[in-house]
Amino acid sequence: CGQCTQCREGTGWMNKIIQRIERGAGQPDDIGILLDVASKMEGQTICAFADAAAWPVQGFLRHYWDEFEFYVKHGRSLVEEQQGLAA
């Protein structure tokens, strides 16, 4: 709805950063920024939408941090690398 700043701004930031990483243009600080933004959204709004956006990002980073780092560093996924799909 855009009523809460944390959700309105946070979801936009997370989307932009994730798209940048996916394009292969991720920056070394992007992963930490993602985690920071998600943490600042969690529990800070009047409804559950911010939590619903933040929790998956936090979970993915908690369980797949190394894969995110690889993607930022190499511009492609670790799975592609391991399967020899990288061009």
Side-chain angles (χ1 to χ4, degrees):
C1 74
Q3 185 173 356
C4 300
T5 304
Q6 295 88 339
C7 188
R8 182 181 63 244
E9 296 296 321
T11 53
W13 271 96
M14 288 192 307
N15 183 45
K16 288 177 187 176
I17 293 170
I18 290 169
Q19 285 184 2
R20 182 170 58 215
I21 291 170
E22 188 178 21
R23 280 194 320 267
Q27 302 297 311
D29 293 338
D30 282 348
I31 303 167
I33 293 170
L34 267 177
L35 188 58
D36 186 52
V37 170
S39 298
K40 289 180 178 165
M41 291 172 61
E42 181 182 19
Q44 299 298 313
T45 58
I46 59 174
C47 75
F49 287 143
D51 292 346
W55 289 346
V57 171
Q58 291 171 324
F60 285 132
L61 292 176
R62 182 172 41 256
H63 295 288
Y64 303 106
W65 188 277
D66 294 340
E67 285 86 346
F68 274 85
E69 283 183 331
F70 185 92
Y71 211 118
V72 168
K73 185 174 181 181
H74 300 282
R76 62 184 180 277
S77 79
L78 182 58
V79 173
E80 290 174 336
E81 179 75 17
Q82 290 172 342
Q83 293 177 349
L85 300 175

